């Protein structure tokens, strides 16, 4: 196996270890998730775009040494060379013979040809796509509009001493919100259309070299619809009241009043982000009672419970038993998809009231559906503090009760509506 094949195989194995078995089903968010896992393990920032390119074998030269070392660190090797040595099947004699062969072939080239060949190799391996002096970059931000939405954020940066082919600022995980920047410019004003805890990224080529935590809380329930997750066009749903018959929810008339085309396939978001974040994401209890009503006929109606963390997510998609392959559960680096895991226990009739309970103690998670344990896992990622909570569905959720508090009793949110 050559070195490029080893890179691709190693990355695909990381995907498999984290529940991604089908590249065709992966989203950019999934690739960013893998990049964040590698950062947790190695301390080296790698963009999701780079991860995607390596997984698909879309590279003609080896990645930067930092990227290779991050992959090696994931497998508990200090450097890529150590990792590569552990995988090679060549003995010392065979390796020496190959080196001798290379020396022989160069020896019998003409001197000018050898100089041109070696110079070309050096040039392409040392300059094309590499990043140098990344530590000299600076990156910060300020919000011009407090916590209003849309929110105008001014990024300040300095990349003058960084050596790279191109530079970008990316709002969060969505690569479609990536804007190119240039040297000798120091300010970029961008717009955030959604609330939440965002990790903005300063990118050189495909490597994340600086990050900034951008928090845009709501301190109230906030509603919006997304027409197509690929385009990620956000439509706000402004309402006078969201309490119907003793539960949190919206109705179709409110959607139509906000010019939401209910005939289209959409994802409806109910989210709550507090200003204060003091509940650790590895020790908490969450209880809710929820159901959904369909807006349009769907073969696989679903409810997604999402607990937003400062790093990564805790989320779960529950759907009907016949659509169990569409279900998923994610805690930190542990993502289990119904397509290659038995997630039938977390499926139910989402049109009926259902009690869901999630307890996490020292990064051991247990999910209960109607009082019965349905799923459990252990994760290692430091997700830091809980930053918000949300309900997402291809219909309209109704929430009868929600409680979210730390195991020592501190309350982040509690409401019986």
């Amino acid at each position: 196996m050559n070195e490029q094949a080893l890179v691709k195989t190693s990355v695909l194995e990381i995907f498999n270890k984290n529940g991604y078995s089908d590249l065709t089903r992966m989203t950019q968010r999934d690739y960013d998730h893998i990049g964040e896992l590698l950062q947790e393990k190695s301390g080296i920032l790698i963009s999701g775009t780079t991860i995607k390119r390596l997984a698909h074998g879309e590279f003609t030269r080896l990645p930067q040494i930092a990227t290779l070392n991050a992959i090696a660190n994931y497998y508990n090797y200090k450097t890529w060379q150590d990792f590569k040595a552990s995988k090679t099947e060549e003995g010392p004699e065979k390796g020496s013979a190959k080196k001798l062969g290379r020396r022989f072939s160069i020896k019998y080239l003409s001197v000018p040809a050898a100089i041109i060949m070696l110079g070309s190799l050096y040039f392409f391996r040392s300059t094309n796509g590499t990043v140098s002096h990344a530590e000299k970059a600076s990156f910060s931000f300020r919000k011009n509009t407090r916590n209003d939405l849309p929110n105008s954020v001014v990024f300040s940066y300095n990349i003058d001493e960084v050596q790279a082919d191109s530079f970008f600022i990316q709002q969060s995980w969505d690569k479609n919100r990536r804007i190119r920047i240039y040297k000798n410019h120091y300010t970029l004003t961008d717009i955030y259309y959604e609330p939440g805890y965002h990790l903005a990224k300063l990118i050189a080529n495909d490597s994340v070299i600086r990050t900034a935590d951008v928090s845009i809380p709501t301190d109230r329930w906030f509603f919006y619809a997304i027409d197509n997750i690929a385009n990620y066009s956000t439509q706000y749903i402004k309402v006078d009241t969201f309490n119907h018959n003793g539960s949190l929810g919206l109705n179709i008339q409110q959607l139509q009043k906000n010019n939401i085309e209910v005939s289209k396939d959409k994802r409806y978001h109910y989210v709550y982000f507090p200003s204060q974040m003091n509940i650790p994401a590895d020790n908490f209890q969450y209880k809710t009672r929820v159901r959904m009503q369909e807006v349009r006929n769907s073969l696989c109606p679903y409810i997604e419970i999402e607990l937003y963390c400062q790093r990564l997510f805790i989320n779960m998609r529950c759907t009907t038993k016949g659509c169990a392959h569409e279900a998923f559960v994610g805690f930190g680096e542990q993502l289990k998809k119904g397509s290659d895991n038995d997630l039938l226990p977390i499926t139910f009739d989402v049109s009926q009231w259902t009690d869901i309970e999630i307890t996490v103690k020292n990064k051991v998670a247990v999910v209960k559906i109607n009082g019965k344990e349905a799923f459990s896992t252990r994760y290692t990622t430091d997700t830091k503090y809980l930053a918000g909570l949300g309900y997402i569905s291809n219909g309209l959720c109704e929430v009868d009760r929600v409680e979210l508090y730390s195991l020592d009793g501190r309350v982040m949110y509690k409401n019986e509506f």
Side-chain angles (χ1 to χ4, degrees), residues 49 145 157 187 207 261 263 274 331 413:
T49 302
T145 48
Y157 62 90
T187 302
S207 298
E261 297 182 66
S263 61
F331 287 89
Y413 188 86

Side-chain angles (χ1 to χ4, degrees), residues 32-171:
D32 289 337
H33 173 70
I34 294 297
E36 289 166 351
L37 293 183
L38 290 175
Q39 181 189 355
E40 290 286 339
K41 187 82 172 182
S42 67
I44 299 170
L45 296 172
I46 304 176
S47 71
T49 302
T50 296
I51 297 295
K52 181 178 181 179
R53 182 165 52 83
L54 298 181
H56 287 270
E58 296 171 351
F59 57 101
T60 57
R61 58 178 180 78
L62 286 177
Q64 302 174 55
I65 190 62
T67 300
L68 295 174
N69 285 343
I71 297 171
N73 293 164
Y74 183 88
Y75 291 98
N76 298 316
Y77 287 88
K78 188 175 181 179
T79 68
W80 174 256
Q81 295 300 323
D82 294 336
F83 177 69
K84 184 175 67 172
S86 73
K87 296 297 182 182
T88 184
E89 297 178 354
E90 296 176 353
E93 294 181 2
K94 188 174 181 181
S96 297
K98 289 187 70 176
K99 292 178 183 177
L100 180 61
R102 287 196 295 269
R103 288 198 298 269
F104 180 88
S105 60
I106 292 174
K107 177 181 177 181
Y108 285 92
L109 285 172
S110 68
V111 173
I115 291 173
I116 292 171
M117 183 186 75
L118 293 173
S120 299
L121 287 172
Y122 175 81
F123 176 81
F124 285 110
R125 288 185 63 97
S126 63
T127 63
N128 186 18
T130 61
V131 177
S132 302
H133 307 302
E135 72 281 357
K136 296 183 179 181
S138 64
F139 187 46
S140 60
F141 76 95
R142 75 174 188 274
K143 292 185 287 187
N144 277 356
T145 48
R146 295 188 179 182
N147 294 321
D148 299 331
L149 286 165
N151 198 294
S152 179
V153 173
V154 179
F155 291 103
S156 298
Y157 62 90
N158 190 324
I159 53 175
D160 287 353
E161 296 186 68
V162 182
Q163 298 301 313
D165 297 326
S166 57
F167 299 90
F168 305 88
I169 288 178
Q170 183 172 309
Q171 283 190 358

Side-chain angles (χ1 to χ4, degrees), residues 171-331:
Q171 283 190 358
S172 56
W173 62 269
D174 186 4
K175 70 174 183 178
N176 294 318
R177 303 287 169 86
R178 179 179 291 191
I179 300 175
R180 186 161 187 173
I181 57 174
Y182 300 90
K183 291 187 177 185
N184 301 313
H185 293 73
Y186 307 101
T187 302
L188 172 72
T189 301
D190 202 0
I191 297 177
Y192 281 80
Y193 294 97
E194 297 172 27
Y197 199 91
H198 308 277
L199 188 66
K201 302 172 182 179
L202 177 63
I203 298 171
N205 294 343
D206 284 332
S207 298
V208 179
I209 59 175
R210 287 288 186 276
T211 61
D213 294 76
V214 182
S215 177
I216 305 176
T218 60
D219 291 318
R220 59 187 171 89
W221 285 100
F222 189 85
F223 308 92
Y224 59 94
I226 295 177
D227 184 35
N228 186 320
I229 199 167
N231 297 326
Y232 225 79
S233 175
T234 305
Q235 298 172 278
Y236 298 143
I237 304 171
K238 298 179 180 180
V239 295
D240 295 326
T241 180
F242 50 77
N243 195 314
H244 298 281
N245 300 319
S247 63
L248 166 72
L250 303 174
N251 57 44
I252 293 179
Q253 290 72 32
Q254 288 173 315
L255 300 183
Q256 293 171 331
K257 188 176 180 180
N258 281 271
N259 297 316
I260 305 295
E261 297 182 66
V262 296
S263 61
K264 289 187 175 181
D265 186 16
K266 296 180 182 290
R267 288 164 56 86
Y268 297 94
H269 294 239
Y270 305 178
V271 297
Y272 176 91
F273 292 95
S275 297
Q276 299 297 318
M277 292 169 284
N278 59 359
I279 306 299
D282 56 0
N283 282 285
F284 70 87
Q285 187 166 51
Y286 167 84
K287 297 180 180 179
T288 192
R289 189 165 186 256
V290 65
R291 69 179 179 184
M292 63 89 81
Q293 59 168 310
E294 289 190 291
V295 174
R296 60 191 291 275
N297 184 44
S298 174
L299 294 176
C300 292
Y302 63 80
I303 297 172
E304 288 181 22
I305 303 295
E306 185 140 16
L307 300 177
Y308 302 88
C309 308
Q310 289 181 303
R311 294 294 182 271
L312 299 182
F313 299 84
I314 293 174
N315 55 4
M316 177 173 68
R317 175 184 287 183
C318 302
T319 184
T320 60
K321 292 187 181 298
C323 296
H325 67 291
E326 295 289 338
F328 63 75
V329 183
F331 287 89

